[in-house]
Amino acid sequence: MRHIFQTSRSAFNSRDTITREQLLRNAFFLSVITIAYNVAEGVISVYFGQSDETLALFGFGVDSFVEVLSGIGIAHMIRRLRSQGEEKRDNFERTALRITGIAFYLLAVGLTAGAVINVVVGTVPETTLPGIVISAVSLATMYLLFRAKLRVGRQLRSDAIIADANCTKTCFYLSMILLASSASYEMFGWGWFDVLGSLGIAYFAWREGREALTKARTGVLACGCDH
C-alpha cells in the first residue's frame, strides 16, 4: 500500500512526465486497495461487534461491506475510463449505485431500530476496545486513501475520481464517530455512548444511500457526503 501512495505522490511532483494511463492505473490500484481493506474491516468489525454486543462496531462493519459494493462500481468505472475515456455512468454503475443506495437505507433503518431495542432492553457492550483499535487503523488508512485518490483525480482532472476521493472522506468521518463512541464507553461505561455512535453511523448511512440513489437517477458525479 505504501508503494501505491508513494507512486501517487511522485506522480504529483512530476505531472509533466507521467501518462494518463499510469494515473488511471494508480487510481485502479487504489480502488482495489479500498475494496480489499473494506472486506477485511467488515469481517473483523462484524465479528467483534456481535461477540461484544456493540451495535456501533457491528453497524460500522456492515457499512464497510456496503462500501465494497460501491467500490466495485468505482473499479469498473476506472477500467472503463482507461478504455473509453467517458465519465458518464453506464448501466453496470447505475445498477451498483441503486443496490448500494438501498443497502445503505436498510442499514440506517436497522441501526436505528437496534438502537431503540438496546435502550429498551438495556443492552450494553461487554467492551469497546476492538472498536477503538479498528477505528484508529481506519482513520489512518482512509486519510491516506483520500489524499492519494484526490491527487490522482486532480492530475487527471477527473470529476469522477475526485468524487470517489470525497466519498472516502465519509469513511474517515464514520471512523471518527466509532472512535469517539468506543473511547467514551471505555472511559465512562455509559451504554448511551454506543447507542449514540450507532445512530451517528445510521445518519451517515442514510445520507450515503440518498447520495447513491441520486447519482443513479441523475448521473451526477459529485459526492455531497463530505459536506
Side-chain angles (χ1 to χ4, degrees), residues 80-143:
R80 185 170 50 75
L81 285 175
R82 294 176 67 180
S83 61
Q84 302 175 17
E86 176 60 60
E87 292 211 344
K88 291 184 179 179
R89 302 189 185 282
D90 63 10
N91 289 333
F92 178 90
E93 291 155 31
R94 288 179 184 273
T95 300
L97 283 169
R98 291 189 189 99
I99 296 173
T100 300
I102 293 171
F104 273 131
Y105 274 149
L106 292 174
L107 172 61
V109 172
L111 283 177
T112 302
V116 172
I117 292 172
N118 279 5
V119 170
V120 172
V121 177
T123 302
V124 296
E126 293 182 15
T127 177
T128 54
L129 284 176
I132 295 174
V133 175
I134 292 169
S135 58
V137 173
S138 183
L139 277 171
T141 304
M142 290 302 117
Y143 177 77

Side-chain angles (χ1 to χ4, degrees), residues 69-86:
L69 298 176
S70 176
I72 291 172
I74 294 297
H76 171 81
M77 178 196 71
I78 294 173
R79 288 190 63 184
R80 185 170 50 75
L81 285 175
R82 294 176 67 180
S83 61
Q84 302 175 17
E86 176 60 60

